[in-house]
C-alpha cells in the first residue's frame, strides 16, 4: 500500500472536538479498507493567500491538519464524501514519493569524494576585466548639462 498525505483546511471557527471527530472518521474509513493512519499533525490557524468562498461567507483564515496514512489507491475516490463536509474549506490527497534529501541522493559510494563536487575559484583580488574597454563607459558631463 502506498503512503498518502491528506491535507485538511477547516473553517477557522470550527471547534477542536469537531476537528478531531472528522479526523477520526477519516481514520476509521481508512482502517475499514485495511489501511493504517501513521501520523496526524495540526498546523494551527493559518492565514490564506486569498479568500475561500463558501455558502456562509469568504474565509481568509483556516485551521490546517495533515493526516498521513497508508491506504489502497482507491482511497482518493472513497474520500470524496469530504466534498459535502461543511466544516472543511478544502482538502487534498497527495501520494508520497520516495524522495531523498541532502547528501542521501548520492548514496554511500563516493559520498565525500572531492571530485563529485564542483570547484569554486576564489577571487585573488585582481580585476578580471582586462580587455581595456573602460573608455566606452565614461560619461562626458559637459554633454549632459541642460541649458
Amino acid at each position: 500500500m502506498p503512503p498518502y498525505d491528506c491535507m485538511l483546511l477547516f473553517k477557522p471557527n470550527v471547534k477542536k472536538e469537531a476537528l478531531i471527530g472528522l479526523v477520526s472518521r477519516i481514520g476509521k474509513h481508512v482502517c475499514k479498507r485495511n489501511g493504517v493512519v501513521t501520523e496526524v499533525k495540526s498546523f494551527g490557524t493559518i492565514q490564506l493567500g486569498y479568500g475561500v468562498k463558501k455558502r456562509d461567507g469568504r474565509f481568509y483564515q483556516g485551521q490546517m491538519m495533515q493526516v498521513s496514512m497508508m491506504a489502497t489507491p482507491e482511497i482518493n475516490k472513497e474520500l470524496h464524501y469530504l466534498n459535502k463536509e461543511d466544516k472543511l474549506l478544502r482538502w487534498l490527497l497527495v501520494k508520497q514519493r520516495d524522495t531523498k534529501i541532502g547528501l542521501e541522493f548520492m548514496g554511500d559510494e563516493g559520498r565525500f569524494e572531492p571530485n563529485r563536487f564542483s570547484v569554486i575559484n576564489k577571487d585573488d583580488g585582481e580585476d578580471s576585466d582586462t580587455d581595456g574597454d573602460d573608455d566606452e563607459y565614461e560619461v562626458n558631463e559637459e554633454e549632459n548639462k541642460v541649458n
Side-chain angles (χ1 to χ4, degrees):
M1 279 189 265
Y4 291 95
D5 283 328
C6 184
M7 302 300 294
L8 303 166
L9 181 62
F10 292 93
K11 293 179 181 176
N13 54 1
V14 176
K15 297 198 183 312
K16 192 176 255 185
E17 293 82 21
L19 297 175
I20 294 170
L22 183 63
V23 170
S24 67
R25 279 189 11 224
I26 293 171
K28 289 176 186 175
H29 184 88
V30 170
C31 291
K32 285 181 186 177
R33 300 329 189 251
N34 295 328
V36 177
V37 174
T38 57
E39 185 177 14
V40 177
K41 288 183 189 176
S42 176
F43 296 100
T45 302
I46 60 169
Q47 293 287 351
L48 303 177
Y50 58 91
V52 177
K53 187 176 179 184
K54 289 292 182 177
R55 291 184 183 147
D56 52 344
R58 188 173 291 270
F59 296 91
Y60 293 92
Q61 290 181 342
Q63 298 181 50
M64 179 77 78
M65 291 192 77
Q66 175 184 355
V67 180
S68 299
M69 63 186 89
M70 295 184 73
T72 59
E74 292 81 26
I75 193 69
N76 190 22
K77 295 175 186 170
E78 295 171 359
L79 287 180
H80 275 285
Y81 71 89
L82 293 175
N83 290 337
K84 296 179 176 76
E85 192 64 46
D86 62 339
K87 299 176 196 109
L88 280 175
L89 294 174
R90 298 278 191 266
W91 68 277
L92 175 70
L93 187 70
V94 180
K95 184 177 180 182
Q96 294 178 4
R97 304 284 182 196
D98 294 331
T99 57
K100 296 184 179 181
I101 301 170
L103 291 175
E104 293 176 0
F105 73 94
M106 295 177 72
D108 289 333
E109 71 283 341
R111 186 170 177 177
F112 294 110
E113 291 179 17
N115 61 355
R116 301 271 308 227
F117 299 101
S118 64
V119 178
I120 300 172
N121 294 329
K122 290 185 178 180
D123 188 20
D124 56 359
E126 294 180 12
D127 187 15
S128 62
D129 186 21
T130 58
D131 57 357
D133 63 349
D134 292 337
D135 295 339
E136 70 182 82
Y137 296 109
E138 291 181 10
V139 177
N140 190 350
E141 292 184 20
E142 292 177 8
E143 294 176 4
N144 291 336
K145 288 183 181 177
V146 178
N147 293 332

